[in-house]
Amino acid sequence: MRPTRRRTRLLLAAPVAVAALAVPLGVHAARGADSGTEAAPPKPEPAGSECRTTVEGSRVVAYCHNPYPSVDLVRLHTECDRWWDVDADGAVVAVEPGRTVRLEDRCWKEVATAWVSHRPAPL
């Protein structure tokens, strides 16, 4: 009966020993200690249009200007104040570098909120 107890103790201790040896190796690899230098994360290239949105009564107008060298896709979203008035998502418009576009929409009555969404154009 003695060998069974010893074998059980060894079987229970084996995973603990493996984990104790594996954790320092995982921490060492995660820190990138093998490379000798720390790689800085790449800086994203500036992109996106600057948009100004105005609401007058039931009409929404947004002007978007793209000062960056990449194309930006913009879309005007309008949420109307009245429950029976239909909210709208405008068509996607490409804003070329150095260009300004005008986006328009309207509600039957009052406008609750309006905003412009952006996404980069596929390459």
Side-chain angles (χ1 to χ4, degrees):
M1 197 171 270
R2 198 171 202 60
T4 306
R5 284 186 183 172
R6 189 177 304 148
R7 198 174 324 146
T8 304
R9 286 183 189 156
L10 285 174
L11 288 174
L12 291 175
V16 174
V18 169
L21 293 173
V23 168
L25 292 175
V27 170
H28 181 72
R31 287 186 182 163
D34 294 336
S35 64
T37 60
E38 252 185 68
K43 292 183 181 179
E45 186 175 312
S49 299
E50 297 172 7
C51 297
R52 286 177 283 135
T53 306
T54 57
V55 176
E56 289 185 19
S58 63
R59 296 192 179 274
V60 178
V61 177
Y63 289 96
C64 295
H65 176 72
N66 184 7
Y68 300 109
S70 59
V71 177
D72 188 28
L73 302 177
V74 295
R75 181 180 217 174
L76 179 62
H77 304 274
T78 306
E79 188 174 301
C80 300
D81 195 28
R82 306 294 175 122
W83 66 269
W84 45 263
D85 208 348
V86 180
D87 299 339
D89 296 325
V92 175
V93 177
V95 185
E96 300 289 331
R99 298 287 183 167
T100 302
V101 296
R102 178 184 166 122
L103 307 169
E104 296 180 76
D105 200 6
R106 67 180 298 272
C107 294
W108 283 102
K109 291 281 187 178
E110 300 87 14
V111 175
T113 58
W115 68 94
V116 177
S117 63
H118 303 261
R119 68 183 162 112
L123 298 175

